[in-house]
């Protein structure tokens, strides 16, 4: 996505009133554009593959197919798409399943819209956001499970580190685990954001994972970070 291109967003929710409310707010943002809407999980898959949005706001409970299943399918085809799961219910299992499916964020529907907008920008800047009181417990449960608890071929089974991380990469990884975004890490370490992006890319490659969320999960399980 270029710096001048608006963030292309798809809304997936079976309640038209919720879609309309979110769309109204997002369309007021000069850097965001809602390109399409879906009312079912299957429709979300079809429209995501057709419109290729940068980000999807995905309701978890939808007809035909759940938002988590739709997320898993979409990311298996287009892993570059960012997906934020939305739900009315703060359920720990939803957070766990969402992380496993590859979602970059998990937000409750009663969140302040300014926080949602900030979350969207954060994720497109390379961050991850789990705005939920159960998120901490979900991560602890997820990280404490045995390998056998993961489904076969799960992308969230941490592989051995392919190449040792440098001291600076470990420093960046620790900041990622704290939820710091690229520009925040750059400010903390007094380097450019492009340098941090390079470090993040190298970390992902060395850990053999797909994105920074998986990198953090792997790092915690392998005690690379505290």
């Amino acid at each position: 996505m270029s710096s001048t291109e608006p963030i292309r967003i798809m809304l997936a929710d079976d309640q038209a009133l919720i879609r309309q409310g979110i769309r109204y707010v997002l369309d007021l943002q000069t850097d965001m554009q809602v390109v399409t809407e879906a009312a079912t999980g299957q429709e979300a898959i079809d429209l995501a593959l057709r419109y290729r949005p940068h980000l999807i706001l995905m309701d978890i409970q939808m007809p035909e197919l759940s938002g988590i299943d739709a997320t898993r399918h979409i990311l298996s085809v287009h892993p570059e798409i960012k997906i934020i799961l939305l739900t009315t219910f703060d359920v720990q299992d939803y957070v766990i399943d969402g992380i496993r499916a590859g979602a970059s964020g998990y937000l409750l529907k009663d969140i302040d819209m300014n926080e949602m907008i900030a979350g969207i920008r954060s994720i497109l800047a390379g961050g991850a956001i789990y705005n939920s009181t159960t998120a901490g417990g979900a991560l602890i449960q997820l990280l404490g499970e045995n390998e056998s608890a993961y489904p076969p071929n799960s992308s969230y089974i941490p592989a051995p580190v392919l190449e040792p991380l440098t001291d600076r990469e470990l420093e960046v990884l620790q900041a990622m685990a704290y939820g710091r975004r690229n520009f925040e890490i750059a400010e903390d370490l007094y380097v450019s954001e492009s340098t941090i992006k390079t470090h993040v890319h190298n970390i992902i490659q060395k850990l053999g994972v797909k994105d920074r969320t998986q990198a953090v999960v792997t790092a915690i399980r392998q005690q690379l970070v505290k």
Side-chain angles (χ1 to χ4, degrees):
M1 186 179 73
S2 69
S3 57
T4 58
E5 184 182 5
I7 300 171
R8 293 165 45 81
I9 299 173
M10 183 179 94
L11 305 179
D13 196 297
D14 62 332
Q15 299 184 51
L17 188 60
I18 289 179
R19 296 199 311 272
Q20 291 168 6
I22 295 176
R23 180 170 196 146
Y24 175 80
V25 175
L26 296 184
D27 280 343
L28 292 176
Q29 311 307 307
T30 57
D31 61 340
M32 297 182 186
Q33 177 187 15
V34 176
V35 294
T36 188
E37 299 179 19
T40 71
Q42 184 59 53
E43 189 178 19
I45 292 173
D46 296 340
L47 292 177
L49 301 186
R50 183 189 309 171
Y51 285 89
R52 301 281 294 276
H54 297 126
L55 181 139
I56 301 172
L57 290 172
M58 178 85 74
D59 184 23
I60 288 180
Q61 295 183 319
M62 287 193 295
E64 297 182 2
L65 201 66
S66 75
I68 290 175
D69 287 337
T71 293
R72 186 177 295 109
H73 184 94
I74 291 168
L75 295 181
S76 70
V77 180
H78 291 296
E80 75 281 0
I81 295 176
K82 304 298 182 182
I83 298 180
I84 299 177
L85 293 172
L86 297 177
T87 183
T88 305
F89 307 104
D90 191 4
V91 179
Q92 184 166 299
D93 286 347
Y94 286 169
V95 181
I96 293 174
D97 291 343
I99 292 174
R100 285 177 172 167
S104 298
Y106 178 98
L107 298 176
L108 300 180
K109 288 185 179 179
D110 62 359
I111 190 173
D112 181 85
M113 285 304 299
N114 288 328
E115 292 184 51
M116 178 180 291
I117 291 168
I120 291 172
R121 293 188 177 122
S122 173
I123 286 174
L124 267 296
I129 182 170
Y130 290 91
N131 185 281
S132 159
T133 57
T134 66
L139 285 172
I140 291 172
Q141 179 178 326
L142 179 65
L143 300 174
E145 291 176 348
N146 294 326
E147 295 292 335
S148 59
Y150 287 83
N153 300 320
S154 168
S155 60
Y156 278 88
I157 298 178
V161 177
L162 303 180
E163 182 181 343
L165 302 181
T166 66
D167 289 342
R168 178 45 64 95
E169 287 167 351
L170 287 171
E171 198 172 4
V172 171
L173 183 56
Q174 182 69 69
M176 290 164 56
Y178 288 147
R180 304 288 284 173
R181 291 171 287 182
N182 287 345
F183 78 90
E184 293 173 322
I185 301 173
E187 291 176 354
D188 293 342
L189 299 182
Y190 302 101
V191 298
S192 68
E193 186 174 352
S194 62
T195 297
I196 296 303
K197 288 181 179 179
T198 298
H199 286 314
V200 172
H201 173 77
N202 291 339
I203 289 167
I204 289 172
Q205 294 297 309
K206 289 182 177 182
L207 295 182
V209 295
K210 291 184 178 180
D211 55 39
R212 64 191 294 140
T213 302
Q214 294 184 27
V216 169
V217 171
T218 298
I220 294 174
R221 292 206 64 175
Q222 298 192 12
Q223 298 183 336
L224 297 176
V225 297
K226 298 178 181 179

